[in-house]
Amino acid sequence: RLHIVTWNVGTASPPPDVTGLLQLNSVGPAMDMYVIGLQEVNSRITNFLSDLAFDDPWSIFFMTVLSPLGYIKLSSVRMQGLLLLIFVKHVHLPFIRDIHTQYTRTGLYGYWGNKGGVTIRMSLYGHTVCFINCHLPAHMENTEQRLDDFEKILEMQFEEEDIPSTLDHDILFWFGDLNFRIADYGIHFVRESINNRRYNLLWEKDQLNMAKKKEAFLQDFIEGPLQFKPTYKFDLYSDVYDTSEKKRKPAWTDRILWRVKNLCHHTSKESELSEEEQTISVTLNNYISHMSYGISDHKPVTGTFGLEMKPLLSIPSVTLNPEGEWSAEHDVLISYSAVPEFPSSAWDWIGLFKVTFKHVNDYVTYAWVKDDEISSNNDSKQVYISAEEIPDMGGEFVLCYYSNNMQSIVGISQPFQIQPNRTLIEKDLAQEEINWRRKPDNPESHNEF
């Protein structure tokens, strides 16, 4: 289950609550992956430079919301106002490989990053998946420029030679503030059609729908029906369309489309896909806007998808477990084993993480698999972590094996408990008791005569 968000946030700060946006209260299984594409994230130079060194406020916000629910930030990429974040459930981490990011500037003839696209690609259970978050040129008359820019974004190659081109990925998701408008019709007709919920009257004049019929490189992209109000342009903190002097005509600027490679060559009903080619299917379960969010002049749009894929990768590269009972009072052992073809490295490490960890660098401590190894045989190996590095208060944790060659987590343990350091806790409690008795306002601290 995949949930994609696109939102032009208009340089605003995160809202107080995103439960509805992320469908956190929806009935049924939890999402497996969140893909969040934002446009117009505050990109003043001072903000941008600080965000390069530290996570930006939106990334921190979504990590704070999602990490307690068992998601970690898998990857992110930022280009000025464009931000793309991917969060995934812990259980899928060992089956995600070859994560790479890319960005393409198209603003000011490619010299300025206020427009363009940011991309994250990966291998998911052995299938290649690519996500592109775009912010294309504005204004009614710039349809051709929008199409040219997107074609340029599609043509950009990843630096590594063995990574397929964007259109050669098994699944490609394209979303963002694409800025396509409703042509020909006047503002009064458009608003009247919206008020009467007769959106179908506007579909044929939507510039993206028209372009998909003419442009060969767009024809394989699929979009769900636009059965929600155009998402641009609104007065802030309202569901009222633009009342400023410009009175912008409403438009579906914020869109989510997808493309499945194996379907592109089988468009006729007579064509039958072979069993090998039927390894992937994408189903759109929900395509909606969220009218309650008013921090910008755009309303966010989400698409909830079901991805069915025949796993080409079904067992983790590394299996690891904590040995015996773990306690902060003594050294501990980790046992692990790898599949025969696993390309291990001296720079691989095993991290100890809280179950609510936010990203791969959010470890409590770690052990180098070579330097801290204490035993090795054909079946398994052991590494140790000293007691000094174990959290005194204990709690619930997981172990993750990070592969330097693959640049990703390739194994994760089941959650387990670490027992607290009882001696230290008893000492702390005794000290607290002494401190309490010494307080001037504590009647027991005064001598009685």
Side-chain angles (χ1 to χ4, degrees), residues 123-137:
S123 167
L124 179 63
Y125 287 92
H127 300 277
T128 55
V129 185
C130 188
F131 301 94
I132 305 177
N133 171 29
C134 289
H135 193 185
L136 300 181

Side-chain angles (χ1 to χ4, degrees), residues 210-256:
M210 291 192 289
K212 285 179 75 221
K213 294 175 183 176
K214 294 190 300 181
E215 302 290 342
F217 75 98
L218 290 181
Q219 287 173 6
D220 293 327
F221 282 93
I222 306 165
E223 184 180 18
L226 296 168
Q227 294 177 338
F228 50 85
K229 293 171 70 170
T231 51
Y232 173 84
K233 170 182 168 94
F234 288 89
D235 291 345
L236 294 183
Y237 301 102
S238 80
D239 55 3
V240 177
Y241 284 109
D242 187 16
T243 59
S244 70
E245 290 182 10
K246 292 182 178 179
K247 285 193 166 53
R248 297 283 190 202
K249 188 162 58 169
W252 285 289
T253 55
D254 310 281
R255 312 285 278 270
I256 302 172

Side-chain angles (χ1 to χ4, degrees), residues 8-165:
N8 183 323
V9 297
T11 73
S13 299
D17 182 73
V18 285
T19 300
L21 184 70
L22 301 181
Q23 305 287 277
L24 298 178
N25 290 336
S26 62
V27 178
M31 303 298 170
D32 296 289
M33 182 181 286
Y34 284 98
V35 178
I36 300 167
L38 306 179
Q39 307 86 40
E40 291 195 28
V41 172
N42 194 336
S43 59
R44 290 176 301 194
I45 293 297
T46 51
N47 293 83
F48 185 58
L49 291 177
S50 65
D51 291 347
L52 289 176
F54 310 99
D55 279 311
D56 65 277
W58 281 92
S59 297
I60 294 169
F61 172 74
F62 281 113
M63 281 190 285
T64 303
V65 171
L66 289 171
S67 65
L69 304 177
Y71 299 89
I72 80 153
K73 188 181 80 170
L74 180 74
S75 184
S76 66
V77 58
R78 170 96 187 260
M79 182 184 75
Q80 269 179 249
L82 272 170
L83 176 63
L84 179 56
L85 302 162
I86 296 184
F87 295 86
V88 66
K89 276 281 190 185
H90 296 172
V91 66
H92 301 296
L93 286 174
F95 307 102
I96 301 174
R97 309 274 173 82
D98 302 323
I99 304 162
H100 292 90
T101 64
Q102 178 66 278
Y103 61 85
T104 309
R105 298 186 183 96
T106 59
L108 254 182
Y109 308 102
Y111 290 103
W112 190 239
N114 64 322
K115 295 291 192 292
V118 288
T119 305
I120 299 176
R121 62 86 55 199
M122 68 190 69
S123 167
L124 179 63
Y125 287 92
H127 300 277
T128 55
V129 185
C130 188
F131 301 94
I132 305 177
N133 171 29
C134 289
H135 193 185
L136 300 181
H139 307 306
M140 180 71 68
E141 66 276 10
N142 284 331
T143 303
E144 291 304 317
Q145 187 63 54
R146 286 188 273 276
L147 295 172
D148 289 347
D149 283 6
F150 181 52
E151 197 163 17
K152 178 183 176 184
I153 292 166
L154 286 176
E155 289 170 355
M156 290 297 290
Q157 301 295 316
F158 289 92
E159 293 177 3
E160 287 74 9
E161 292 180 6
D162 57 342
I163 296 180
S165 65

Side-chain angles (χ1 to χ4, degrees), residues 119-332:
T119 305
I120 299 176
R121 62 86 55 199
M122 68 190 69
S123 167
L124 179 63
Y125 287 92
H127 300 277
T128 55
V129 185
C130 188
F131 301 94
I132 305 177
N133 171 29
C134 289
H135 193 185
L136 300 181
H139 307 306
M140 180 71 68
E141 66 276 10
N142 284 331
T143 303
E144 291 304 317
Q145 187 63 54
R146 286 188 273 276
L147 295 172
D148 289 347
D149 283 6
F150 181 52
E151 197 163 17
K152 178 183 176 184
I153 292 166
L154 286 176
E155 289 170 355
M156 290 297 290
Q157 301 295 316
F158 289 92
E159 293 177 3
E160 287 74 9
E161 292 180 6
D162 57 342
I163 296 180
S165 65
T166 308
L167 289 173
D168 279 332
H169 282 74
D170 297 324
I171 309 174
L172 172 62
F173 288 96
W174 171 38
F175 48 92
D177 180 359
L178 308 185
N179 253 322
F180 290 101
R181 308 304 171 99
I182 297 170
D184 298 342
Y185 296 141
I187 188 171
H188 297 296
F189 179 80
V190 171
R191 288 194 175 187
E192 192 65 24
S193 300
I194 295 168
N195 290 339
N196 293 322
R197 301 180 67 84
R198 300 183 68 181
Y199 308 133
N200 58 308
L201 298 179
L202 308 176
W203 292 344
E204 63 180 22
K205 293 299 181 181
D206 172 79
Q207 290 175 335
L208 180 53
N209 285 341
M210 291 192 289
K212 285 179 75 221
K213 294 175 183 176
K214 294 190 300 181
E215 302 290 342
F217 75 98
L218 290 181
Q219 287 173 6
D220 293 327
F221 282 93
I222 306 165
E223 184 180 18
L226 296 168
Q227 294 177 338
F228 50 85
K229 293 171 70 170
T231 51
Y232 173 84
K233 170 182 168 94
F234 288 89
D235 291 345
L236 294 183
Y237 301 102
S238 80
D239 55 3
V240 177
Y241 284 109
D242 187 16
T243 59
S244 70
E245 290 182 10
K246 292 182 178 179
K247 285 193 166 53
R248 297 283 190 202
K249 188 162 58 169
W252 285 289
T253 55
D254 310 281
R255 312 285 278 270
I256 302 172
L257 297 91
W258 72 98
R259 179 184 187 273
V260 181
K261 182 183 172 186
N262 287 337
L263 297 180
C264 298
H265 308 295
H266 301 271
T267 53
S268 67
K269 290 184 180 179
E270 292 78 19
S271 299
E272 291 189 9
L273 300 176
S274 70
E275 186 177 341
E276 182 182 349
E277 289 172 318
Q278 289 176 329
T279 55
I280 298 176
S281 72
V282 178
T283 305
L284 177 66
N285 297 326
N286 210 357
Y287 189 34
I288 58 174
S289 64
H290 297 261
M291 293 294 293
S292 62
Y293 294 93
I295 61 173
S296 103
D297 53 0
H298 291 252
K299 300 298 182 184
V301 170
T302 60
T304 306
F305 296 85
L307 268 60
E308 290 187 37
M309 48 183 64
K310 186 177 181 180
L312 304 178
L313 183 68
S314 55
I315 60 169
S317 294
V318 174
T319 304
L320 68 167
N321 295 289
E323 284 281 314
E325 182 183 272
W326 276 37
S327 166
E329 296 176 349
H330 56 73
D331 295 350
V332 293

